[in-house]
Amino acid sequence: MTVEQALVWYALEHGPDVRATKAIGVAIEHLSAWWGTRTVADVTRATVSAYRRHRESTGRGRGLTREQPAAGVAPATVDRELVVLRAALRWAHAVGRLTMVPKIEAGTERPPRDRWLTVSEAAQLLWTARRSPPHILLFTALALYTGARHSAIVELTWDRVDLQAGMIRYLPTGRSQTAKQRPTVPIPRPLLILLRKARKTAANPFVITWRGRPVESCRTGFRTVAARAGLAGVTPHVLRHTAGTWMAQRGVDTWQISGFLGHTEARTTALYKHHSPEYLDQARAAMEGRRRR
């Protein structure tokens, strides 16, 4: 069996049942272009490493030619593509087309990014967003004040925004929670004001719309606003990290931060505990030979 066959079967038979169909389709395009007629038996640590080096250096798969050379893609992008390859081969095994699945190593462990916004930086970002299309301002405020992921925000519908109770339910009706949980969160007052204003003129079930239509991605508009605000290295995910950092700095316990962001408490502790004003107080007291009050 060729790798391309396994990817095509996965796309045709299992693709309609997955949520991120577009992202998986793009990954399959790049995987198929490079692996081509290589067989599943050719999937080894060496060939996976070769694929990774190729994507990180050129950004193109074999057969995808353009006049201008393409820049390499981020390691995290290659990781996601290899996750799709692994899923396709496991699918082929599950339906009886493969007798065994080759092992595909996970990506190299990278240190977490610790970029977050100060209060003044956040104010500058929101002020700049006010001069952008209204859906970018609303997206920015939702990301900052609720710490939600990009996909959860652009998929949010008004029936899950309770302006009376001041709550947002990010999990769509009928959808089960996944590892990337979508929590129900309270609406901070500055965001509530923006949402009430947007609700009055809403003509679409989706919260984030432009010219009456749902918006698939706010990343380009957000990057433009961040650049105009003079903020380097700021992505939508930085706003999520900012929300967690601010809560930790203000003494919110990790259990509540976990619930707000939809993390496990262990992950929240690893990411944000060092921002807490009481971080390692007990350890410091022990080293000083005294009891912590």
Side-chain angles (χ1 to χ4, degrees):
M1 182 190 298
T2 67
V3 173
E4 190 171 33
Q5 283 176 321
L7 290 167
V8 169
W9 276 326
Y10 180 72
L12 292 176
E13 298 177 6
H14 189 57
D17 299 326
V18 300
R19 292 169 189 152
T21 52
K22 184 175 179 180
I24 290 176
V26 171
I28 287 175
E29 178 185 1
H30 289 293
L31 288 163
S32 297
W34 191 86
W35 290 93
T37 56
R38 290 180 174 90
T39 66
V40 173
D42 292 325
V43 180
T44 64
R45 177 179 295 182
T47 54
V48 168
S49 296
Y51 176 77
R52 180 180 293 280
R53 289 194 301 272
H54 182 79
R55 292 287 287 132
E56 291 179 5
S57 62
T58 70
R60 289 200 304 261
R62 189 174 62 195
L64 296 181
T65 58
R66 294 180 182 175
E67 293 181 3
Q68 298 296 327
V73 299
T77 300
V78 188
D79 288 346
R80 289 191 291 269
E81 291 171 359
L82 291 174
V83 165
V84 172
L85 176 59
R86 186 188 300 125
L89 297 181
R90 286 178 176 174
W91 172 258
H93 178 263
V95 298
R97 292 194 177 108
L98 284 177
T99 56
M100 62 181 296
V101 181
K103 185 176 181 180
I104 299 176
E105 297 289 342
T108 304
E109 189 71 21
R110 288 178 291 276
R113 291 171 290 183
D114 200 35
R115 176 72 165 103
W116 51 275
L117 301 183
T118 64
V119 174
S120 61
E121 286 178 324
Q124 179 64 26
L125 182 68
L126 288 170
W127 180 257
T128 306
R130 289 181 180 276
R131 302 193 295 275
S132 65
H135 71 287
I136 297 298
L137 171 61
L138 191 55
F139 170 84
T140 302
L142 280 161
L144 180 63
Y145 285 113
T146 71
R149 295 180 177 88
H150 176 275
S151 57
I153 295 173
V154 297
E155 293 173 10
L156 182 63
T157 49
W158 284 111
D159 62 316
R160 290 181 279 125
V161 179
D162 189 337
L163 296 176
Q164 291 295 113
M167 301 292 289
I168 293 175
R169 178 168 51 86
Y170 276 112
L171 185 67
T173 303
R175 183 184 295 186
S176 339
Q177 289 283 18
T178 64
K180 293 185 176 181
Q181 294 189 20
R182 295 194 177 184
T184 297
V185 297
I187 307 174
R189 183 167 178 77
L191 176 59
L192 187 61
I193 294 170
L194 284 176
L195 286 170
R196 283 174 175 167
K197 182 179 178 180
R199 187 69 182 95
K200 289 178 182 178
T201 58
N204 192 287
F206 286 88
V207 174
I208 304 297
T209 61
W210 175 237
R211 295 177 177 173
R213 296 183 179 182
V215 176
E216 186 173 316
S217 174
C218 289
R219 289 189 174 91
T220 300
F222 180 83
R223 281 198 301 267
T224 300
V225 168
R228 288 176 179 169
L231 300 173
V234 176
T235 64
H237 191 78
V238 168
L239 300 190
R240 177 174 170 80
H241 193 54
T242 297
T245 300
W246 284 2
M247 284 187 279
Q249 288 175 334
R250 293 163 188 174
V252 178
D253 63 61
T254 54
W255 182 81
Q256 289 198 46
I257 300 175
S258 301
F260 198 88
L261 296 179
H263 277 162
T264 62
E265 188 171 3
R267 175 168 169 76
T268 299
T269 300
L271 287 173
Y272 302 116
K273 191 65 177 177
H274 64 285
H275 291 293
S276 169
E278 296 183 353
Y279 179 57
L280 297 182
D281 267 8
Q282 190 171 354
R284 181 177 60 194
M287 296 303 294
E288 292 174 353
R290 59 184 175 85
R291 291 186 178 180
R292 179 175 177 266
R293 293 181 180 179

